[in-house]
Amino acid sequence: MPLKYEQIAESMRLRIAAGEFPPGGLLPSGRDLCEQWQVSRATVIKALDQLKADALIVGRQGSGYTVAQTPVGRPAGGRRSGTTRASGMPFTRLGTPCLQDPPPHVAEALQLRSGERALARARLMQLADGTPHSVVVAWFPADIAEACPRLRMDGPIAEGTTRYVERCTGRRPGSSSEAGVDVESVRLITQEEALLLGVQLPAAVHVLMHTARDQRDAVLVVEEGVTPEGTWERVSRYPMG
């Protein structure tokens, strides 16, 4: 059974997702939550910390917590245990999510049979100043799209797609050593990508394809992120000797 602070956090996620607290809306005070759930202030703080880690809420000094007004997401990949959406960046939705034929390499990663389609949800990740950072397309198997109707809607999913899919289907990211696989490559940018990212042709792009599997080793989602040269950077720090 979930711990009390997890129950409180999940309840608040559902209330935010249902629109009870709109973007910019003020959440109940810590005192009110303590009384409502008959718990200590420390328990409520742990619940609110979870929501902050999910980038669902922000603290306002002197006025409590409000629902985040700008949707925040993460670039493709880097979903290691312990990472949170709070380290993400603003984004805008590109087009309307719909079922379509994925590229062959994505269909193979999704383990689709010939002719099977997948739900594509595309977003444009942006730096703090609004500069385009990357284009990310998330591909969901059709059975997940069917069970999770909000995946087919334009708007952001406040609780995040991972938690939403888990709530609708019971399927959650697995814990095996290969539950998440990131494959990186480099290629030339396409004309459509260049227009979205404000890049002149020809140009190189870094491509990261992330495959996530659930607790039963079935594919949950395949994400592909495309980041242009000059924007992509990876810094590694490690001991030597």
Side-chain angles (χ1 to χ4, degrees), residues 49-95:
D49 282 344
Q50 277 208 335
L51 299 179
K52 285 195 295 182
D54 287 343
L56 267 178
I57 64 173
V58 293
R60 302 292 186 205
Q61 190 168 3
S63 61
Y65 290 93
T66 60
V67 179
Q69 298 197 53
T70 303
V72 173
R74 288 181 284 182
R79 300 297 199 270
R80 292 174 178 82
S81 177
T83 60
T84 67
R85 282 204 300 160
S87 59
M89 58 182 65
F91 70 90
T92 56
R93 180 67 54 206
L94 296 174

Side-chain angles (χ1 to χ4, degrees), residues 105-180:
H105 65 286
V106 174
E108 181 180 358
L110 286 167
Q111 299 180 331
L112 301 183
R113 294 186 294 270
S114 177
E116 280 190 300
R117 297 190 297 171
L119 180 76
R121 285 175 58 87
R123 61 187 186 270
L124 179 66
M125 311 302 301
Q126 299 164 308
L127 300 175
D129 63 0
T131 301
H133 172 271
S134 58
V135 174
V136 179
V137 182
W139 296 89
F140 292 89
D143 61 331
I144 289 182
E146 182 66 28
C148 306
R150 285 173 57 204
L151 290 178
R152 301 191 295 273
M153 299 179 183
D154 290 347
I157 297 175
E159 64 199 283
T161 56
T162 300
R163 288 189 183 278
Y164 174 60
V165 168
E166 180 178 350
R167 183 160 59 82
C168 292
T169 67
R171 297 173 61 180
R172 61 183 184 277
S175 56
S176 73
S177 60
E178 295 191 5

